Structures are given as structure tokens and as C-alpha cells.
Amino acid sequence: MDEFRIDSHKLIFHPNEVARWLAGEDIYPIYVEISPSGACNHRCAFCALDFMEYRPRFLDAAVLRERLGEMGRLGIKSAMYGGEGEPFLNKDITGIIVSTKRSGIDVGITTNGVLLTPGIAESILGSTAWIKVSLNAGDRETYAKLHRAKPDDFDRAFYNLAEAVKIKRRTGAKCTLGAQAVLLPDNADSMESLAAACRSIGLRYLVVKPYSQHHKSLASTYADVDYAAFSHLRDALARFNDEGFSVIFRERTMRKLERKKRGYGRCLALPFWAYIDSVGNVWGCSAYLGDDAFRYGNIQEQTFEDIWRGERRRQCMEMVASELDPGGCRMNCRMDEVNLYLWELTHPSAHVNFL
């Protein structure tokens, strides 16, 4: 059961913002992805952002805290820390997370979990809505191969997660703890072992999702995976579901990789989200990192409001509306489901008044 709508979208829960957008208002984003670290302690074989080169650059915590306060006042509702590197390599990440929540912004974290120590978990679980750990295999050897990391990191990540579950239960924190795996030919045989291990330590869910080739990625080993060959895993993994744990097998997303058309003629989702990289650049789309046409500005140099209301963003929005063909974008991008929804709203079929 996908109670968190991970294989869908959540824009339906923000009708006021959608109505304002439909009326032509220039709205602030609901959701922002933030990369606190450009560096990473793993070199995953399927990493979409390998072209960013894992540079040891880190967001300035003081500047970010100031901008977070501003973003909260502007009505931004959520921030996800992850992106181009491992967020817990930023030495100030604990304070950043706490400051984000204090600014009225919900916090999510995507991490490999190796540095999510019990001490850090104790400090952040009360300020965090969810933490999703990338565990891309059910055994040490496959994990080490795909993460390009030490096999011991597999044990460390599971230990940290198990301890986080204990801390959550002891403190009553509302943080949802889960895991995710990119389904690949190399790890398909270990998915059941992974599901069993995740359930045994008390995680809420395991997401099993397809690989999606980033058009700038240096690696292309998994560009042509045929996910029809793994459809049997849906039922095999469903047997691990119970009242406290579920496997979210993203079959809908897998099937979309086979589609001939995207279902929308233009990208409409950019007003609802933004991406901030590890040096503070604000981007319209993570698929176009490094393409200056999608860079709105930098939070080290301007307020978020000035960036969002600025000329560079206006030019980007005009270009996207009139020129960008989403057929050339990354398949199953972050905003794909949102785009399908917005396109249907703005291009309704006949008879929509017959409820």
C-alpha cells in the first residue's frame, strides 16, 4: 500500500496554490530540494549526478539558515536534503535540519545512512518528517558492488537505521523511517532479502523503483533495463506487507518507461518546486544542472525572494513555456506525475462537468 503516494504525486493536496497558478499568479514553490554537500562517501554505479564530480563543496550554514527563515515566511512548505552528495557530510547538517523545521518548513532526507549515527538521529528525528535510506541490495557483496563502497557500510547503514527506529519509539518522534532501492539486473535477486531485513528492524517501508537515465550522466550501464522482466517481484515482495511495513513496488513508474509519449506537451511544474545546489545556485530543474538557462540565481548573493521574482527566472519560465520539448527530458523526472496532473487540468477532455 502506497499510503505516502510515493508512486504518484501530492499536488492534489495543495488546491489553493494550484488555483492561484491557474489564475496566472506567480506563486512560490511548495517544495525545495537542497544539496548541503557536493561530496559523497559512495560512488554508486547508477548515480544520476555523477557528472557533478562529487566535489567537496558545502552550503554555508549561516547563509542557508537566513534563507530558510525567509523561505518559511514566503510559504514554502517542505525541503528535502539530498541531491548531488551525501547530506551528512556537511558538518552543520544537524543544525540546518533543526533550523529548517523551526522556520516552519517540513524536512525530508535522502541519505545512504552510513553517517546517520545514533547521536545524529537523536538530534534530528524530532525535526524531521521522513528519512529515506538508499539500500540498493539485500547482501553485503551486492551492496558493495553497486554502491562502490566497503561491505561494512552495509552493516553500518542497517545498524544506524535499527538504532534510529529505537530512538523514534523511545522519544515518540513522528519521523517516518524507510528505505529505497533502485531495481537493477544486478540486485533483483536480493530484493526479497532486503525487504525482509528492512521489515525486521522496524522500517515503515521499502521503495523499489526503476533506474532512469539522466541525459548528463557519465554512466549508462543501466540505460536500457527491461523492467517487464522483473514484474514477478511485485507479488513476491507483496508478501512482506503487514500493518507496520509495506513494499512500494513502483510498477506504474516502471511501465511509464515504455510509453511512446509523455502525456504532456510542455513542462508546467517548475513554479511548484526548486533545486538548490551545494554552492547555493537555485535551479529550475535538476535535469539541467549546469545549463545556465535554468539557473535563477544564488542564495549567497541574493534573497530567495529576489531570485524567485528576478529576471533570470522570468526568462527561464518563458523559454520553458515556448521552447522546451519535454520529450527530450529525463524519463520519469521528479515532476513527471505533477506535469501529467497539471496538463490534464489545463487541457481537460470533454464532459468534465458530469461528475
Side-chain angles (χ1 to χ4, degrees):
M1 178 180 173
D2 187 8
E3 65 177 294
F4 301 108
R5 296 181 67 88
I6 290 173
D7 202 30
S8 181
H9 72 91
K10 305 178 186 73
L11 194 57
I12 59 170
F13 300 110
H14 301 278
N16 292 334
E17 287 78 4
V18 173
R20 289 170 53 208
W21 173 78
L22 286 170
E25 291 187 40
D26 190 14
I27 61 171
Y28 285 103
I30 294 170
Y31 165 70
V32 179
E33 290 189 8
I34 303 175
S35 291
S37 168
C40 192
N41 52 339
H42 287 181
R43 294 291 185 272
C44 296
F46 50 85
C47 179
L49 298 184
D50 55 0
F51 66 94
M52 300 293 285
E53 299 178 338
Y54 313 107
R55 285 171 282 182
R57 54 188 198 176
F58 305 93
L59 270 177
D60 185 293
V63 172
L64 182 56
R65 286 193 188 97
E66 185 175 346
R67 296 293 177 261
L68 288 167
E70 176 198 3
M71 290 157 67
R73 293 191 296 272
L74 292 173
I76 292 168
K77 293 178 168 39
S78 65
M80 189 276 280
Y81 290 107
E84 67 202 78
E86 167 52 47
F88 288 105
L89 282 172
N90 187 312
K91 62 181 178 61
D92 298 311
I93 190 62
T94 298
I96 288 170
I97 290 166
V98 172
S99 295
T100 307
K101 184 60 179 176
R102 286 177 179 168
S103 298
I105 300 171
D106 292 340
V107 180
I109 305 167
T110 300
T111 170
N112 60 42
V114 175
L115 302 176
L116 179 60
T117 63
I120 290 177
E122 188 89 42
S123 300
I124 67 171
L125 288 187
S127 300
T128 308
W130 56 264
I131 298 174
K132 191 184 300 175
V133 175
S134 294
L135 296 168
N136 296 281
D139 62 82
R140 286 164 48 92
E141 291 73 24
T142 308
Y143 176 95
K145 174 185 174 183
L146 290 175
H147 283 249
R148 293 175 179 164
K150 298 176 181 178
D152 286 351
D153 279 2
F154 177 82
D155 301 322
R156 188 172 292 109
F158 265 101
Y159 170 79
N160 288 342
L161 272 171
E163 291 300 303
V165 169
K166 295 175 185 176
I167 293 167
K168 168 184 162 68
R169 290 171 176 169
R170 173 171 54 80
T171 62
K174 303 300 183 182
C175 179
T176 300
L177 296 168
Q180 67 177 359
V182 178
L183 181 60
L184 301 167
D186 300 301
N187 65 10
D189 289 343
S190 73
M191 285 298 102
E192 291 183 64
S193 296
L194 179 59
C198 289
R199 186 175 69 173
S200 71
I201 63 171
L203 297 187
R204 184 65 190 84
Y205 61 73
L206 167 66
V207 177
V208 179
K209 64 180 186 178
Y211 173 83
S212 175
Q213 182 71 32
H214 194 295
H215 64 280
K216 289 189 175 185
S217 181
L218 303 178
S220 59
T221 304
Y222 304 107
D224 300 312
V225 176
D226 177 11
Y227 281 98
F230 303 111
S231 59
H232 66 282
L233 282 174
R234 177 195 60 198
D235 295 333
L237 293 170
R239 68 186 179 87
F240 293 96
N241 297 341
D242 58 30
E243 290 185 1
F245 177 79
S246 60
V247 177
I248 302 167
F249 189 74
R250 297 190 63 176
E251 188 173 25
R252 172 184 170 86
T253 304
M254 294 175 194
R255 287 177 175 172
K256 285 194 298 181
L257 291 171
E258 303 171 3
R259 64 188 173 182
K260 302 298 182 183
K261 296 182 180 179
R262 285 185 179 267
Y264 47 92
R266 294 293 180 193
C267 178
L268 302 176
L270 299 193
F272 295 93
W273 87 303
Y275 185 100
I276 301 176
D277 70 18
S278 58
V279 291
N281 291 313
V282 181
W283 301 89
C285 179
S286 60
Y288 291 94
L289 296 176
D291 185 336
D292 212 42
F294 288 84
R295 191 179 75 88
Y296 299 160
N298 190 293
I299 61 171
Q300 309 251 31
E301 302 164 359
Q302 296 172 277
T303 66
F304 190 87
E305 182 174 16
D306 285 345
I307 292 170
W308 200 254
R309 298 293 185 188
E311 180 64 15
R312 292 184 62 91
R313 178 173 173 271
R314 186 192 66 78
Q315 291 174 351
C316 178
M317 294 302 296
E318 287 184 355
M319 179 272 293
V320 169
S322 62
E323 301 175 26
L324 183 71
D325 178 6
C329 295
R330 184 183 184 188
M331 293 299 293
N332 287 334
C333 77
R334 181 77 71 186
M335 292 292 113
D336 188 64
E337 284 290 326
V338 170
N339 269 315
L340 288 167
Y341 173 63
L342 294 175
W343 189 260
E344 187 174 11
L345 279 180
T346 53
H347 298 77
S349 59
H351 310 159
V352 295
N353 293 331
F354 293 87
L355 301 182

